[in-house]
Amino acid sequence: MITTVGVLGAGQMGNGIAHVFAQYGYRVFLYDISEAQLEKAVNTIRQNLERQARKGAIAESLVGETVGRITATKNMADLAGCDFCVEAVTEHEPLKLDIFRKLDEIVQPGAILASNTSSIPITKIASVTKRPTKVIGMHFMNPVPVMKLVEVIRGHATSDETFSLTAALVAGLEKEMAVSQDYPGFIVNRVLIPMINEAIFALYEGIATAEDIDKGMKLGTNQPMGPLVLADFIGLDTVLAIAGVLYDGFKDPKYRPCPLLVKMVNAGDLGRKSGRGFYTY
């Protein structure tokens, strides 16, 4: 039975994942190397819970109860007793592999290790552990407390038991599951990132302004936001990283990142988080 969950990485995705697990009654250990990031994450979780309470989505008493279930730590060894861990650090393969090597040595042998990666092969991540049958992809969407979808990705060795337990967790968080095979980009980013990249090419080639590209896709295809606004929201560095995984993984020129995207990332124009991307914030 899963009662204690470890979340590695206290950034935007990590704090959202910790939020939903704690909200649904799990004890959560939230790990990050930065004390400031941990403090920010817990404050963000509290603010988001208070917003939910004001809207009537949750009882006000749940705010304090939920935050009280979260233990923030800079020591990965504190996750030793966790039944289930979700890694949610930066989309950087060497970093993720290093974390899984360390986590595999720390966490009890029966625990499941999941990655929130949006593009890196689960089979590759599992290969650096001694428990490949207990490694799985659990890709939450941003913002985690609001978005209903979780992509679940089985690695080459992921067991049926690991998959079933993960599927039950998704259902217990009142989210919907989409199951993907372990190929670059999985489902969502396999479709989404090439669309965003093509929108960037349209801007790069002078076909239309950013505003008109977004207006065309928003009003013409009924998307809640245009692809360039969405790219800014995701972070252009993350978009580029996933585009690179697709390009390297398939060796197909249709996944080639737009030169404008590369230039903007090199310039530090990363979207909302840097204050400037395709738009200014």
Side-chain angles (χ1 to χ4, degrees):
M1 184 179 175
I2 295 168
T3 59
T4 307
V5 175
V7 178
L8 296 96
Q12 191 172 35
M13 294 303 295
N15 79 56
I17 294 167
H19 173 148
V20 295
F21 273 111
Q23 184 180 330
Y24 282 86
Y26 296 92
R27 187 176 181 205
V28 175
F29 285 85
L30 177 59
Y31 163 81
D32 200 284
I33 58 171
S34 166
E35 186 73 41
Q37 189 63 52
L38 286 168
E39 288 179 14
K40 181 182 176 183
V42 174
N43 286 334
T44 298
I45 292 166
R46 186 184 296 277
Q47 288 165 8
N48 287 339
L49 285 162
E50 287 170 348
R51 186 180 301 114
Q52 286 177 286
R54 283 196 300 272
K55 291 180 177 177
I58 62 170
E60 201 163 321
S61 60
L62 269 180
V63 176
E65 288 176 20
T66 299
V67 175
R69 293 190 193 104
I70 300 170
T71 301
T73 180
K74 288 175 63 182
N75 185 2
M76 198 186 293
D78 287 342
L79 278 64
C82 291
D83 309 304
F84 193 97
C85 290
V86 185
E87 167 275 314
V89 303
T90 306
E91 196 71 357
H92 181 59
E93 187 175 301
L95 175 61
K96 288 186 186 288
L97 297 184
D98 184 54
I99 281 177
F100 270 83
R101 284 189 196 96
K102 291 174 180 173
L103 194 60
D104 186 44
E105 297 295 329
I106 290 169
V107 181
Q108 56 187 326
I112 293 171
L113 308 183
S115 177
N116 183 60
T117 180
S118 55
S119 60
I120 297 166
I122 300 304
T123 302
K124 189 165 191 178
I125 291 172
S127 72
V128 303
T129 75
K130 298 182 183 72
R131 63 180 91 194
T133 60
K134 293 186 174 295
V135 178
I136 195 164
M138 196 181 193
H139 178 212
F140 289 83
M141 304 295 129
N142 186 29
V144 180
V146 175
M147 299 293 278
K148 286 293 184 185
L149 183 72
V150 179
E151 273 185 312
V152 174
I153 306 98
R154 297 183 70 150
H156 185 69
T158 305
S159 70
D160 289 344
E161 181 187 17
T162 296
F163 175 78
S164 297
L165 283 167
T166 305
L169 270 185
V170 173
L173 298 174
E174 295 186 9
K175 294 192 182 295
E176 295 286 336
M177 177 176 70
V179 182
S180 173
Q181 295 298 310
D182 190 21
Y183 293 107
F186 315 133
I187 302 166
V188 174
N189 283 325
R190 173 77 178 268
V191 176
L192 176 65
I193 297 301
M195 183 194 76
I196 289 174
N197 195 47
E198 194 62 28
I200 300 169
F201 266 113
L203 180 65
Y204 173 64
E205 294 168 6
I207 291 170
T209 64
E211 290 81 3
D212 279 348
I213 291 166
D214 278 341
K215 184 189 292 183
M217 294 306 293
K218 184 177 177 181
L219 302 182
T221 65
N222 207 27
Q223 296 182 24
M225 65 178 79
L228 301 178
V229 169
L230 179 56
D232 278 354
F233 180 73
I234 294 168
L236 302 194
D237 52 341
T238 301
V239 172
L240 179 59
I242 300 169
V245 168
L246 291 171
Y247 188 50
D248 293 341
F250 291 113
K251 303 294 190 291
D252 189 324
K254 74 179 181 180
Y255 297 112
R256 177 176 67 98
C258 179
L260 176 58
L261 174 61
V262 175
K263 184 168 77 169
M264 291 176 71
V265 171
N266 287 340
D269 292 345
L270 308 180
R272 281 184 177 271
K273 61 186 171 186
S274 70
R276 181 190 296 273
F278 294 106
Y279 300 91
T280 302
Y281 301 92

